PDB file of all heavy atoms in Angstrom:
ATOM      1  N   SER A   1      29.615  -7.076  28.784  1.00 97.00           N
ATOM      2  CA  SER A   1      30.940  -6.598  29.114  1.00 97.00           C
ATOM      3  C   SER A   1      30.954  -5.103  29.063  1.00 97.00           C
ATOM      4  O   SER A   1      30.068  -4.363  28.553  1.00 97.00           O
ATOM      5  CB  SER A   1      32.030  -7.082  28.146  1.00 97.00           C
ATOM      6  OG  SER A   1      31.712  -6.746  26.849  1.00 97.00           O
ATOM      7  N   GLY A   2      32.052  -4.538  29.505  1.00 98.00           N
ATOM      8  CA  GLY A   2      32.284  -3.060  29.451  1.00 98.00           C
ATOM      9  C   GLY A   2      32.040  -2.227  30.684  1.00 98.00           C
ATOM     10  O   GLY A   2      32.251  -1.086  30.643  1.00 98.00           O
ATOM     11  N   GLY A   3      31.607  -2.958  31.774  1.00 97.00           N
ATOM     12  CA  GLY A   3      31.449  -2.300  33.032  1.00 97.00           C
ATOM     13  C   GLY A   3      32.819  -1.910  33.637  1.00 97.00           C
ATOM     14  O   GLY A   3      33.849  -2.156  33.167  1.00 97.00           O
ATOM     15  N   GLY A   4      32.732  -1.118  34.684  1.00 97.00           N
ATOM     16  CA  GLY A   4      33.905  -0.668  35.319  1.00 97.00           C
ATOM     17  C   GLY A   4      33.704   0.463  36.293  1.00 97.00           C
ATOM     18  O   GLY A   4      32.547   0.776  36.625  1.00 97.00           O
ATOM     19  N   LEU A   5      34.854   1.002  36.766  1.00 98.00           N
ATOM     20  CA  LEU A   5      34.741   2.289  37.656  1.00 98.00           C
ATOM     21  C   LEU A   5      35.033   3.500  36.852  1.00 98.00           C
ATOM     22  O   LEU A   5      35.983   3.527  36.120  1.00 98.00           O
ATOM     23  CB  LEU A   5      35.811   2.089  38.782  1.00 98.00           C
ATOM     24  CG  LEU A   5      36.083   3.247  39.625  1.00 98.00           C
ATOM     25  CD1 LEU A   5      34.792   3.582  40.527  1.00 98.00           C
ATOM     26  CD2 LEU A   5      37.241   2.984  40.545  1.00 98.00           C
ATOM     27  N   VAL A   6      34.163   4.519  36.972  1.00 98.00           N
ATOM     28  CA  VAL A   6      34.320   5.712  36.204  1.00 98.00           C
ATOM     29  C   VAL A   6      33.960   6.939  37.176  1.00 98.00           C
ATOM     30  O   VAL A   6      33.110   6.760  38.118  1.00 98.00           O
ATOM     31  CB  VAL A   6      33.400   5.675  35.030  1.00 98.00           C
ATOM     32  CG1 VAL A   6      31.927   5.620  35.404  1.00 98.00           C
ATOM     33  CG2 VAL A   6      33.651   6.899  34.097  1.00 98.00           C
ATOM     34  N   GLN A   7      34.536   8.103  36.954  1.00 98.00           N
ATOM     35  CA  GLN A   7      34.219   9.179  37.728  1.00 98.00           C
ATOM     36  C   GLN A   7      32.906   9.842  37.333  1.00 98.00           C
ATOM     37  O   GLN A   7      32.532   9.667  36.159  1.00 98.00           O
ATOM     38  CB  GLN A   7      35.351  10.210  37.636  1.00 98.00           C
ATOM     39  CG  GLN A   7      36.650   9.744  38.236  1.00 98.00           C
ATOM     40  CD  GLN A   7      37.673  10.898  38.285  1.00 98.00           C
ATOM     41  OE1 GLN A   7      37.565  11.862  37.544  1.00 98.00           O
ATOM     42  NE2 GLN A   7      38.739  10.694  39.091  1.00 98.00           N
ATOM     43  N   PRO A   8      32.300  10.537  38.161  1.00 98.00           N
ATOM     44  CA  PRO A   8      31.053  11.326  37.777  1.00 98.00           C
ATOM     45  C   PRO A   8      31.298  12.142  36.548  1.00 98.00           C
ATOM     46  O   PRO A   8      32.341  12.829  36.539  1.00 98.00           O
ATOM     47  CB  PRO A   8      30.743  12.096  39.068  1.00 98.00           C
ATOM     48  CG  PRO A   8      31.274  11.287  40.173  1.00 98.00           C
ATOM     49  CD  PRO A   8      32.539  10.652  39.625  1.00 98.00           C
ATOM     50  N   GLY A   9      30.358  12.217  35.569  1.00 98.00           N
ATOM     51  CA  GLY A   9      30.531  12.921  34.401  1.00 98.00           C
ATOM     52  C   GLY A   9      31.190  12.100  33.307  1.00 98.00           C
ATOM     53  O   GLY A   9      31.228  12.616  32.152  1.00 98.00           O
ATOM     54  N   GLY A  10      31.714  10.970  33.676  1.00 98.00           N
ATOM     55  CA  GLY A  10      32.430  10.196  32.677  1.00 98.00           C
ATOM     56  C   GLY A  10      31.520   9.345  31.738  1.00 98.00           C
ATOM     57  O   GLY A  10      30.233   9.452  31.971  1.00 98.00           O
ATOM     58  N   SER A  11      32.125   8.545  30.925  1.00 98.00           N
ATOM     59  CA  SER A  11      31.288   7.703  30.055  1.00 98.00           C
ATOM     60  C   SER A  11      31.816   6.298  30.016  1.00 98.00           C
ATOM     61  O   SER A  11      32.897   5.965  30.345  1.00 98.00           O
ATOM     62  CB  SER A  11      31.529   8.228  28.585  1.00 98.00           C
ATOM     63  OG  SER A  11      30.973   9.535  28.493  1.00 98.00           O
ATOM     64  N   LEU A  12      30.891   5.310  29.661  1.00 98.00           N
ATOM     65  CA  LEU A  12      31.175   3.949  29.518  1.00 98.00           C
ATOM     66  C   LEU A  12      30.246   3.482  28.353  1.00 98.00           C
ATOM     67  O   LEU A  12      29.177   3.899  28.179  1.00 98.00           O
ATOM     68  CB  LEU A  12      30.892   3.095  30.710  1.00 98.00           C
ATOM     69  CG  LEU A  12      31.852   3.103  31.977  1.00 98.00           C
ATOM     70  CD1 LEU A  12      31.270   2.319  33.104  1.00 98.00           C
ATOM     71  CD2 LEU A  12      33.193   2.497  31.481  1.00 98.00           C
ATOM     72  N   ARG A  13      30.753   2.348  27.754  1.00 98.00           N
ATOM     73  CA  ARG A  13      29.895   1.694  26.677  1.00 98.00           C
ATOM     74  C   ARG A  13      29.848   0.217  27.006  1.00 98.00           C
ATOM     75  O   ARG A  13      30.871  -0.455  27.093  1.00 98.00           O
ATOM     76  CB  ARG A  13      30.395   1.796  25.327  1.00 98.00           C
ATOM     77  CG  ARG A  13      29.461   1.353  24.278  1.00 98.00           C
ATOM     78  CD  ARG A  13      29.907   1.495  22.860  1.00 98.00           C
ATOM     79  NE  ARG A  13      30.907   0.539  22.456  1.00 98.00           N
ATOM     80  CZ  ARG A  13      31.213   0.171  21.177  1.00 98.00           C
ATOM     81  NH1 ARG A  13      30.574   0.829  20.180  1.00 98.00           N
ATOM     82  NH2 ARG A  13      32.142  -0.665  20.943  1.00 98.00           N
ATOM     83  N   LEU A  14      28.706  -0.229  27.399  1.00 98.00           N
ATOM     84  CA  LEU A  14      28.375  -1.622  27.628  1.00 98.00           C
ATOM     85  C   LEU A  14      28.056  -2.383  26.373  1.00 98.00           C
ATOM     86  O   LEU A  14      27.414  -1.776  25.397  1.00 98.00           O
ATOM     87  CB  LEU A  14      27.199  -1.729  28.551  1.00 98.00           C
ATOM     88  CG  LEU A  14      27.324  -1.012  29.874  1.00 98.00           C
ATOM     89  CD1 LEU A  14      26.185  -1.401  30.819  1.00 98.00           C
ATOM     90  CD2 LEU A  14      28.617  -1.297  30.619  1.00 98.00           C
ATOM     91  N   SER A  15      28.509  -3.679  26.278  1.00 98.00           N
ATOM     92  CA  SER A  15      28.162  -4.467  25.112  1.00 98.00           C
ATOM     93  C   SER A  15      27.483  -5.737  25.594  1.00 98.00           C
ATOM     94  O   SER A  15      27.687  -6.236  26.644  1.00 98.00           O
ATOM     95  CB  SER A  15      29.407  -4.822  24.399  1.00 98.00           C
ATOM     96  OG  SER A  15      30.086  -3.727  23.921  1.00 98.00           O
ATOM     97  N   CYS A  16      26.481  -6.149  24.750  1.00 97.00           N
ATOM     98  CA  CYS A  16      25.827  -7.432  25.044  1.00 97.00           C
ATOM     99  C   CYS A  16      25.822  -8.260  23.742  1.00 97.00           C
ATOM    100  O   CYS A  16      25.153  -7.919  22.762  1.00 97.00           O
ATOM    101  CB  CYS A  16      24.361  -7.129  25.452  1.00 97.00           C
ATOM    102  SG  CYS A  16      23.313  -8.684  25.525  1.00 97.00           S
ATOM    103  N   VAL A  17      26.590  -9.285  23.745  1.00 96.00           N
ATOM    104  CA  VAL A  17      26.727 -10.198  22.638  1.00 96.00           C
ATOM    105  C   VAL A  17      25.695 -11.344  22.731  1.00 96.00           C
ATOM    106  O   VAL A  17      25.673 -12.048  23.733  1.00 96.00           O
ATOM    107  CB  VAL A  17      28.130 -10.716  22.458  1.00 96.00           C
ATOM    108  CG1 VAL A  17      28.189 -11.702  21.198  1.00 96.00           C
ATOM    109  CG2 VAL A  17      29.125  -9.638  22.305  1.00 96.00           C
ATOM    110  N   THR A  18      24.816 -11.550  21.657  1.00 93.00           N
ATOM    111  CA  THR A  18      23.838 -12.632  21.636  1.00 93.00           C
ATOM    112  C   THR A  18      24.281 -13.703  20.836  1.00 93.00           C
ATOM    113  O   THR A  18      24.901 -13.581  19.830  1.00 93.00           O
ATOM    114  CB  THR A  18      22.516 -12.022  21.226  1.00 93.00           C
ATOM    115  OG1 THR A  18      22.678 -11.675  19.760  1.00 93.00           O
ATOM    116  CG2 THR A  18      22.102 -10.840  22.036  1.00 93.00           C
ATOM    117  N   SER A  19      23.918 -14.905  21.265  1.00 91.00           N
ATOM    118  CA  SER A  19      24.178 -16.090  20.385  1.00 91.00           C
ATOM    119  C   SER A  19      23.003 -16.992  20.570  1.00 91.00           C
ATOM    120  O   SER A  19      22.250 -16.941  21.521  1.00 91.00           O
ATOM    121  CB  SER A  19      25.374 -16.752  20.826  1.00 91.00           C
ATOM    122  OG  SER A  19      25.380 -17.205  22.211  1.00 91.00           O
ATOM    123  N   GLY A  20      22.937 -18.018  19.664  1.00 89.00           N
ATOM    124  CA  GLY A  20      21.761 -18.904  19.730  1.00 89.00           C
ATOM    125  C   GLY A  20      20.686 -18.517  18.772  1.00 89.00           C
ATOM    126  O   GLY A  20      20.974 -17.699  17.834  1.00 89.00           O
ATOM    127  N   LEU A  21      19.550 -19.188  18.913  1.00 80.00           N
ATOM    128  CA  LEU A  21      18.436 -18.878  17.907  1.00 80.00           C
ATOM    129  C   LEU A  21      17.673 -17.722  18.286  1.00 80.00           C
ATOM    130  O   LEU A  21      16.951 -17.676  19.366  1.00 80.00           O
ATOM    131  CB  LEU A  21      17.575 -20.214  18.016  1.00 80.00           C
ATOM    132  CG  LEU A  21      16.567 -20.236  16.678  1.00 80.00           C
ATOM    133  CD1 LEU A  21      17.383 -20.311  15.517  1.00 80.00           C
ATOM    134  CD2 LEU A  21      15.712 -21.608  16.908  1.00 80.00           C
ATOM    135  N   ILE A  22      17.778 -16.667  17.543  1.00 80.00           N
ATOM    136  CA  ILE A  22      17.128 -15.416  17.713  1.00 80.00           C
ATOM    137  C   ILE A  22      16.026 -15.219  16.651  1.00 80.00           C
ATOM    138  O   ILE A  22      16.278 -15.319  15.481  1.00 80.00           O
ATOM    139  CB  ILE A  22      18.083 -14.223  17.597  1.00 80.00           C
ATOM    140  CG1 ILE A  22      19.345 -14.387  18.415  1.00 80.00           C
ATOM    141  CG2 ILE A  22      17.438 -12.948  17.916  1.00 80.00           C
ATOM    142  CD1 ILE A  22      19.158 -14.488  19.963  1.00 80.00           C
ATOM    143  N   PHE A  23      14.774 -14.995  17.070  1.00 80.00           N
ATOM    144  CA  PHE A  23      13.660 -14.978  16.284  1.00 80.00           C
ATOM    145  C   PHE A  23      13.320 -13.444  15.953  1.00 80.00           C
ATOM    146  O   PHE A  23      13.688 -12.533  16.690  1.00 80.00           O
ATOM    147  CB  PHE A  23      12.402 -15.574  16.872  1.00 80.00           C
ATOM    148  CG  PHE A  23      12.513 -17.078  17.075  1.00 80.00           C
ATOM    149  CD1 PHE A  23      12.883 -17.681  18.348  1.00 80.00           C
ATOM    150  CD2 PHE A  23      12.265 -17.991  16.047  1.00 80.00           C
ATOM    151  CE1 PHE A  23      12.977 -18.976  18.441  1.00 80.00           C
ATOM    152  CE2 PHE A  23      12.556 -19.333  16.121  1.00 80.00           C
ATOM    153  CZ  PHE A  23      12.774 -19.881  17.368  1.00 80.00           C
ATOM    154  N   SER A  24      12.530 -13.331  14.912  1.00 79.00           N
ATOM    155  CA  SER A  24      12.110 -11.936  14.542  1.00 79.00           C
ATOM    156  C   SER A  24      10.981 -11.466  15.624  1.00 79.00           C
ATOM    157  O   SER A  24      10.542 -12.355  16.293  1.00 79.00           O
ATOM    158  CB  SER A  24      11.423 -11.977  13.197  1.00 79.00           C
ATOM    159  OG  SER A  24      10.326 -12.861  13.161  1.00 79.00           O
ATOM    160  N   GLY A  25      10.934 -10.186  15.738  1.00 78.00           N
ATOM    161  CA  GLY A  25      10.017  -9.642  16.754  1.00 78.00           C
ATOM    162  C   GLY A  25      10.649  -9.562  18.138  1.00 78.00           C
ATOM    163  O   GLY A  25       9.889  -9.261  19.160  1.00 78.00           O
ATOM    164  N   ASN A  26      11.862  -9.819  18.298  1.00 89.00           N
ATOM    165  CA  ASN A  26      12.527  -9.805  19.530  1.00 89.00           C
ATOM    166  C   ASN A  26      12.703  -8.347  20.080  1.00 89.00           C
ATOM    167  O   ASN A  26      12.821  -7.381  19.302  1.00 89.00           O
ATOM    168  CB  ASN A  26      13.782 -10.597  19.545  1.00 89.00           C
ATOM    169  CG  ASN A  26      14.934  -9.920  18.653  1.00 89.00           C
ATOM    170  OD1 ASN A  26      15.513  -8.878  19.097  1.00 89.00           O
ATOM    171  ND2 ASN A  26      15.087 -10.462  17.488  1.00 89.00           N
ATOM    172  N   VAL A  27      12.823  -8.273  21.332  1.00 95.00           N
ATOM    173  CA  VAL A  27      13.164  -6.975  22.100  1.00 95.00           C
ATOM    174  C   VAL A  27      14.265  -7.169  22.946  1.00 95.00           C
ATOM    175  O   VAL A  27      14.334  -8.075  23.736  1.00 95.00           O
ATOM    176  CB  VAL A  27      11.956  -6.398  22.779  1.00 95.00           C
ATOM    177  CG1 VAL A  27      12.304  -5.032  23.506  1.00 95.00           C
ATOM    178  CG2 VAL A  27      10.813  -6.136  21.936  1.00 95.00           C
ATOM    179  N   ILE A  28      15.369  -6.368  22.854  1.00 96.00           N
ATOM    180  CA  ILE A  28      16.601  -6.461  23.752  1.00 96.00           C
ATOM    181  C   ILE A  28      16.536  -5.213  24.674  1.00 96.00           C
ATOM    182  O   ILE A  28      16.285  -4.062  24.070  1.00 96.00           O
ATOM    183  CB  ILE A  28      17.824  -6.702  23.001  1.00 96.00           C
ATOM    184  CG1 ILE A  28      17.864  -7.989  22.285  1.00 96.00           C
ATOM    185  CG2 ILE A  28      19.018  -6.572  23.935  1.00 96.00           C
ATOM    186  CD1 ILE A  28      19.061  -8.365  21.490  1.00 96.00           C
ATOM    187  N   GLY A  29      16.821  -5.500  25.923  1.00 96.00           N
ATOM    188  CA  GLY A  29      16.815  -4.364  26.809  1.00 96.00           C
ATOM    189  C   GLY A  29      18.014  -4.398  27.879  1.00 96.00           C
ATOM    190  O   GLY A  29      18.613  -5.483  27.946  1.00 96.00           O
ATOM    191  N   TRP A  30      18.397  -3.303  28.383  1.00 98.00           N
ATOM    192  CA  TRP A  30      19.313  -3.145  29.490  1.00 98.00           C
ATOM    193  C   TRP A  30      18.473  -2.826  30.693  1.00 98.00           C
ATOM    194  O   TRP A  30      17.641  -1.886  30.751  1.00 98.00           O
ATOM    195  CB  TRP A  30      20.304  -2.013  29.173  1.00 98.00           C
ATOM    196  CG  TRP A  30      21.327  -2.398  28.156  1.00 98.00           C
ATOM    197  CD1 TRP A  30      21.360  -2.185  26.876  1.00 98.00           C
ATOM    198  CD2 TRP A  30      22.507  -3.175  28.427  1.00 98.00           C
ATOM    199  NE1 TRP A  30      22.423  -2.646  26.208  1.00 98.00           N
ATOM    200  CE2 TRP A  30      23.210  -3.300  27.179  1.00 98.00           C
ATOM    201  CE3 TRP A  30      23.092  -3.835  29.508  1.00 98.00           C
ATOM    202  CZ2 TRP A  30      24.442  -4.064  27.122  1.00 98.00           C
ATOM    203  CZ3 TRP A  30      24.296  -4.492  29.468  1.00 98.00           C
ATOM    204  CH2 TRP A  30      24.984  -4.567  28.237  1.00 98.00           C
ATOM    205  N   TYR A  31      18.782  -3.590  31.831  1.00 98.00           N
ATOM    206  CA  TYR A  31      18.131  -3.337  32.978  1.00 98.00           C
ATOM    207  C   TYR A  31      19.337  -3.105  34.025  1.00 98.00           C
ATOM    208  O   TYR A  31      20.490  -3.451  33.785  1.00 98.00           O
ATOM    209  CB  TYR A  31      17.329  -4.517  33.554  1.00 98.00           C
ATOM    210  CG  TYR A  31      16.097  -4.688  32.690  1.00 98.00           C
ATOM    211  CD1 TYR A  31      16.044  -5.224  31.398  1.00 98.00           C
ATOM    212  CD2 TYR A  31      14.798  -4.412  33.267  1.00 98.00           C
ATOM    213  CE1 TYR A  31      14.990  -5.412  30.630  1.00 98.00           C
ATOM    214  CE2 TYR A  31      13.615  -4.529  32.490  1.00 98.00           C
ATOM    215  CZ  TYR A  31      13.778  -5.037  31.202  1.00 98.00           C
ATOM    216  OH  TYR A  31      12.580  -5.262  30.490  1.00 98.00           O
ATOM    217  N   ARG A  32      18.987  -2.534  35.211  1.00 98.00           N
ATOM    218  CA  ARG A  32      20.027  -2.366  36.268  1.00 98.00           C
ATOM    219  C   ARG A  32      19.416  -2.662  37.626  1.00 98.00           C
ATOM    220  O   ARG A  32      18.276  -2.495  37.834  1.00 98.00           O
ATOM    221  CB  ARG A  32      20.696  -1.077  36.143  1.00 98.00           C
ATOM    222  CG  ARG A  32      19.783   0.176  36.608  1.00 98.00           C
ATOM    223  CD  ARG A  32      20.505   1.459  36.254  1.00 98.00           C
ATOM    224  NE  ARG A  32      19.597   2.621  36.580  1.00 98.00           N
ATOM    225  CZ  ARG A  32      19.908   3.908  36.430  1.00 98.00           C
ATOM    226  NH1 ARG A  32      21.115   4.214  35.700  1.00 98.00           N
ATOM    227  NH2 ARG A  32      19.126   4.873  36.699  1.00 98.00           N
ATOM    228  N   GLN A  33      20.303  -3.125  38.517  1.00 98.00           N
ATOM    229  CA  GLN A  33      19.905  -3.262  39.861  1.00 98.00           C
ATOM    230  C   GLN A  33      20.964  -2.790  40.857  1.00 98.00           C
ATOM    231  O   GLN A  33      22.139  -3.269  40.825  1.00 98.00           O
ATOM    232  CB  GLN A  33      19.661  -4.784  40.151  1.00 98.00           C
ATOM    233  CG  GLN A  33      19.089  -5.053  41.532  1.00 98.00           C
ATOM    234  CD  GLN A  33      18.458  -6.548  41.590  1.00 98.00           C
ATOM    235  OE1 GLN A  33      18.833  -7.358  40.829  1.00 98.00           O
ATOM    236  NE2 GLN A  33      17.645  -6.758  42.564  1.00 98.00           N
TER     237      GLN A  33
END
């Protein structure tokens, strides 16, 4: 969540809420397309 329309030079904060079975040694990343 957290996406939207913003002017150049502006800021946004994206959030990623995880649920389910999460093991140690995991890596979380943000990608874009």
